Amino acid sequence: MAYEKLFQRGRIGSMKLKNRIVMPAMGVSLAQPGGEANEHIIAYYEERAKGGVGLIITEITRVEETYGTAVPNQLGAYDGRHVPHLERLAERVHKYGTKILLQLQHPGRENKSDMIGGRQIVAPSPIMCKVTKEMPRELTTAECEGIMKAFVKGAVLAQRAGMDGVELHAAHGYLLNEFLSPYTNKRTDRYGGSFDNRIRIMEEMITAIRFLCGKDFVISVRISADEFVEGGLKLEDTIKIARTLESFGIDVINVSSGIYESATTVIEPASYPQGWKKHLAAAIKENVKIPVIAVNNIKEPEVAEQLLEENVCDFAALGRAHLADAEWAKKAKEGRGEEINRCIGCLYCFTSLSDGGHIKCAVNPRCGREVEYSHLEKNGNGQKVAVIGGGPAGMVAALTLKERGWEPVIFEKSDRLGGQLNIADKPILKEKLAAYKKSLIYRTEHAGIDIRLNTAADVEMVKELQPAGVFVATGGTPIIPNLPGVEQPHVMTAEEVLTEKKEAEGSVLVVGGGVTGMETAETLASKGHSVILIEMAKEIGKGLYRSMLADYMIRFDKLGVKVMTYERLMAVGAGGVKVMNTITSQLHELPADTVVLALGVKPDESLTAQFEDAFDEVIVIGDADKSGRIAEAALDGYSRASVF
């Protein structure tokens, strides 16, 4: 069998696992506002269980609602009414031979007052989180005891619901982590000060859970092996914590890293390589006898297998990889690794949650929408459908149509599939996006779809198919502003630069602070160019998750990329540009040997009108309809094709 370590049976306490693949906790905001598990969250987890994962650890589950609600529509385990709903969740996961732990959590100071009815947030000590920027109230000793009991009650309710165990979330800067860390715990009572006092709340709840739930009920603790902040927990501290927790009687340690203030180390942007923090889990594993679960930014089965072979951990945890492809484990086991829909590390999932929505994935339109797309009607009956354009929207639409029994025919004017992905994967640090493109093309090419490359479709050509409908996915064209001087040879588009159709020389001014502009600026700076990036709005990176933007700014600083906001391009000269400050309306000049335009794309409508006049059923998708990102293209292609 391929990946022998990955698909070796495992054991955590009394719990037997069919493989070494864990889906760790990720907030999804799919439950009822009152914390009940509904069909949306059950279907979400059931699809991953059906996909072959050995152990699922649920999203953060609140143990009390007064101060402990962290996100909208979050699971709850603080009231008896939650039990029958959690029971349905456990049963739906168990029928596939997958085990499930309920992760219990309290956000502490990493919360917002508007999440808890305007009440002041609470923490072990009144130390403000630099990200949430709200001053917490210090918990009284009695309140600390009450929270400890709330976690214990959550575990008892989980056991009643048939869960295999619980995970106590003592990582990522949340409340239990705040008690453990000298960075956030300055208390002088029995829950603060010395190491023994800081870990006391964990000792009390673990002891109580073990007493009330018995020796066969699994207890996991998630820890941040390094908080990556000055004055916070370091590896030598967490080794001691792990050994002490083991002595309290837990069954497994789940190793992660970071807190909100070092967010890129918690949820890594695309620039972080797979396995970058494996030394943390390896060190913990060397110092405990119980099993170790570890996240390591894993996307590929080969990486997970290698980490197990290197004895970094006993179980490989893959979070966002399971958002991108619910069948990650199944495909790996069956030797279909090329078909795995790859996570691109864009953090669109977290952007969705931070905007107040439910979990979504840029490359998997079904993620968080499992109920809406639970039963695709297979009514195509072999009828042909023309898909004009082989970019992400076109390929996703064609794959969906094929699944429903239609016979899609892709017309692609270039010599390869990929569309805008063939440009988007050109900047530096885009290996994950390139892997996604490769997988999407592989699945399209091996799905039995008629693909016609080097074919610029016209109406007469498509009429020969006698199609039931036409999907127009011709993409977009770069926006070129009508400004003096833009026709000069030293003015070029980001697409031309990234595909090396044109070469930038000397100092470069990149116009446009969206993702494409940022990627282009970084790529040119990495090649030795002096780069200025201008953006007319207040900020660059609109729509990016905060840690993605922070990661870009760190890299910009290292490369010397100068960012100027509130600046609008007005004209291009021979050796520079004229810009206007959008606040003061004052004009000034900036030097530039090369000007690169990264102002987005506009729909390519050249063919749309012709097809709409010639056919009754014409569906315009992706950038051909409205410019957007991969997330919009994939959802557009999938959703429109799912109901055609």
Side-chain angles (χ1 to χ4, degrees), residues 89-103:
L89 170 58
E91 289 173 349
R92 293 271 285 276
V93 166
H94 282 156
K95 70 180 182 181
Y96 298 100
T98 299
K99 304 298 185 182
I100 183 167
L101 303 182
L102 191 71
Q103 188 191 70

Side-chain angles (χ1 to χ4, degrees), residues 111 320 424 483 541:
N111 203 8
R320 286 170 288 158
L483 294 173

Side-chain angles (χ1 to χ4, degrees), residues 620-638:
V620 186
I621 58 175
D623 284 347
D625 179 47
K626 182 180 180 181
S627 62
R629 298 166 293 181
I630 292 172
E632 288 79 19
L635 177 60
D636 215 10
Y638 185 84

Side-chain angles (χ1 to χ4, degrees), residues 335-347:
R336 298 188 290 129
E338 299 94 339
E339 296 180 30
I340 291 175
N341 195 40
R342 300 304 200 276
C343 167
I344 61 176
C346 66
L347 302 187

